Amino acid sequence: MTAPLRVGLAGLGTVGRAVVHELLDNADALAARAGRRLELTRVVSRTPRPEVNLGGAPFDTDLGTLTADDTVDVIVETIAGEDADAALAAARGLFEAAIAAGRHVVTANKALIALHGNTLLPAAEQAGVRVGFEASVAGGIPILNALTQGLAANRIEWLAGIVNGTSNYILTAMTERRGDFDTALAEAQRLGYAEADPAFDIEGVDAAYKLAILAGLAFDVPFDFGSVHTEGIAGVDVEDIEYARELGYRIKHLGIASCSDAGVRARVHPCLVPEHALIAKVDGVMNAVQVSGHAVGSTLYLGPGAGGAPTASAIVADLVDIARRERPGRRELRAVQSGGAAMDALRSAHYLKIPAVDEPGVFAHVAEALSREGISIEGAIQRARAIRAGEGAQWVPIVILTNVVAEADVRRATEAIEALDGVSGAIRRIRVADFGGAA
């Protein structure tokens, strides 16, 4: 067996401790798979954890010791902290120092790759340094490996996925227990699935980072987080979930990316998903990514999207890959405009929930406004009873499912409907996901 691959670890949080556990407790099996031992030779963390068995590896609180230590071949970056900006800056600084020192890098940091991968990865390639970031998207699901290796023979047409477990848990809880958003969020926080400040998850930022990485690898374009259209789930209520169920759909928070002659379109937002679709049945904190390739057709990748052990699984898999072949691969980018496909041109069906005043003729005016934009009604629900009162007027929701229509057309129609005298507020609009064609 050849010389061991010597591993330095940055961070002893949940993921870092799980990596230590895998390297020490699964050492023989990993050595057999990698063709050499994976040896933990240094650990750095700003918070000492004397209770963690490091297998004799030296411990330090100075990140600089990792890149200065000649007994380290590859650095695993699992830096975390309450200050996300500071953690990102520290991770980027370590990455750059590792490249300068000729150390390979493995990271689980989605923001690092989505925001800075376009400069860091070419620099690593130039320096002969390998980079693994499988753990940055969908935890233990080997989706990045699937895109770059398993599906290498395919032209990827589109991909769509549930890539944030917190949002998926909240929507699942609302669906199963018919509770409101705040109750489901509080439950997710109590169980440790959501942070005290959950904005990063529920506003879609976390999913947008991951989608930027998925789209970049799937379509061989630069990572472009800034062009990802991003919407969260806080606007979805249990009433929307019930109406969607009545129409034959489940509401899921999806990241969807596709590529056309106009460029790459990447978007994160709530979707109505047909209840028979496999991804509609992915509940709780699970993640799933569906990929359509021109040769293989549609494939689905399912598994835990977060947590110490699943993330460590992806990190250690990258270490095994580096141990087997230390030369960096080259990432050739296509001359396709990332973010070039405007949302206005997106075509999909839409769920509209319209707060209509409970009086005759309102539905006819709504239908007329839709018709002016060439939009037809595929399905509709209107309750006979008023469900809310305001300033003396009662209103009932009119729920409409439209045909497939351009985004710009449906936006103009909803603006016209909101201006009607018989409509008493903003319209809830949720796109319908179509898994039968380009997403």
Side-chain angles (χ1 to χ4, degrees):
M1 190 173 290
T2 57
L5 182 72
R6 300 169 297 180
V7 179
L9 174 66
L12 271 180
T14 301
V15 173
R17 294 196 301 273
V19 170
V20 171
H21 174 79
E22 290 302 321
L23 290 177
L24 297 182
D25 288 17
N26 203 23
D28 291 342
L30 292 173
R33 292 166 187 162
R36 58 199 291 200
R37 298 194 73 81
L38 306 183
E39 183 180 316
L40 187 64
T41 55
R42 179 169 290 277
V43 176
V44 174
S45 174
R46 67 178 182 179
T47 305
R49 294 188 181 274
E51 75 279 8
V52 180
N53 173 24
L54 302 180
F59 175 85
D60 204 292
T61 57
D62 180 5
L63 279 177
T65 60
L66 279 174
T67 51
D69 190 342
D70 288 335
T71 69
V72 173
D73 300 314
V74 55
I75 295 173
V76 174
E77 183 275 306
T78 65
I79 297 170
E82 292 184 2
D83 187 336
D85 290 337
L88 177 59
R92 183 179 183 182
L94 177 61
F95 201 121
E96 292 170 338
I99 293 172
R103 311 277 191 256
H104 304 302
V105 182
V106 174
T107 181
N109 196 320
K110 53 194 163 284
L112 180 69
I113 301 300
L115 296 175
H116 305 298
N118 292 330
T119 55
L120 294 176
L121 297 186
E125 179 186 306
Q126 184 70 26
V129 168
R130 292 204 68 208
V131 178
F133 51 97
E134 180 66 63
S136 65
V137 178
I141 305 173
I143 182 60
L144 304 189
N145 184 71
L147 288 173
T148 57
Q149 297 186 48
L151 297 174
N154 284 261
R155 180 182 66 255
I156 304 302
E157 297 169 332
W158 56 265
L159 61 85
I162 296 168
V163 291
N164 182 269
T166 300
S167 292
N168 199 42
Y169 181 86
I170 290 169
L171 291 175
T172 300
M174 292 172 67
T175 299
E176 293 180 347
R177 292 185 274 288
R178 292 171 168 77
D180 61 26
F181 176 86
D182 290 338
T183 300
L185 171 58
E187 181 180 313
Q189 290 172 319
R190 179 176 59 82
L191 294 172
Y193 299 144
E195 301 292 339
D197 180 1
F200 193 65
D201 293 315
I202 65 174
E203 291 177 2
V205 178
D206 175 82
Y209 281 140
K210 295 171 181 175
L211 186 64
I213 296 170
L214 288 170
L217 295 182
F219 306 121
D220 297 317
V221 296
F223 305 122
D224 191 0
F225 169 74
S227 75
V228 179
H229 175 87
T230 307
E231 299 175 23
I233 63 169
V236 178
D237 60 32
V238 69
E239 195 174 83
D240 296 316
I241 289 172
E242 289 299 319
Y243 283 128
R245 190 201 310 265
E246 198 167 331
L247 292 165
Y249 294 88
R250 295 281 298 272
I251 295 181
K252 292 293 184 182
H253 193 226
L254 299 183
I256 303 173
S258 59
C259 185
S260 68
D261 291 341
V264 174
R265 179 187 291 119
R267 49 195 173 100
V268 170
H269 52 74
C271 287
L272 265 69
V273 179
E275 59 186 2
H276 59 77
L278 289 175
I279 209 164
K281 307 178 193 306
V282 178
D283 290 331
V285 294
M286 297 294 279
N287 280 196
V289 180
Q290 189 168 350
V291 183
S292 178
H294 85 282
V296 74
S298 182
T299 57
L300 182 70
Y301 305 83
L302 170 69
T311 306
S313 169
I315 287 172
V316 174
D318 276 341
L319 289 174
V320 169
D321 194 43
I322 289 172
R324 287 172 173 166
R325 44 175 190 164
E326 289 198 29
R327 290 183 60 193
R330 182 168 181 80
R331 185 166 177 247
E332 297 284 355
L333 301 182
R334 298 162 58 201
V336 173
Q337 186 178 357
S338 182
M343 283 295 291
D344 274 358
L346 173 68
R347 294 183 63 81
S348 64
H350 290 259
Y351 160 98
L352 306 176
K353 186 173 70 176
I354 303 163
V357 176
D358 189 19
E359 58 186 32
V362 176
F363 189 96
H365 292 309
V366 167
E368 182 182 356
L370 292 171
S371 179
R372 282 198 299 269
E373 299 297 337
I375 301 171
S376 62
I377 298 173
E378 299 293 311
I381 302 171
Q382 185 174 21
R383 299 295 185 224
R385 61 183 181 85
I387 62 170
R388 190 178 302 177
E391 299 180 359
Q394 291 186 315
W395 65 271
V396 294
I398 297 174
V399 173
I400 288 173
L401 194 66
T402 76
N403 64 325
V404 175
V405 63
E407 186 93 0
D409 294 339
V410 79
R411 187 175 63 249
R412 285 193 299 270
T414 54
E415 289 172 354
I417 293 169
E418 286 173 347
L420 294 173
D421 290 340
V423 173
S424 61
I427 294 171
R428 177 75 46 77
R429 176 164 65 95
I430 304 176
R431 300 170 189 88
V432 177
D434 173 18
F435 294 106

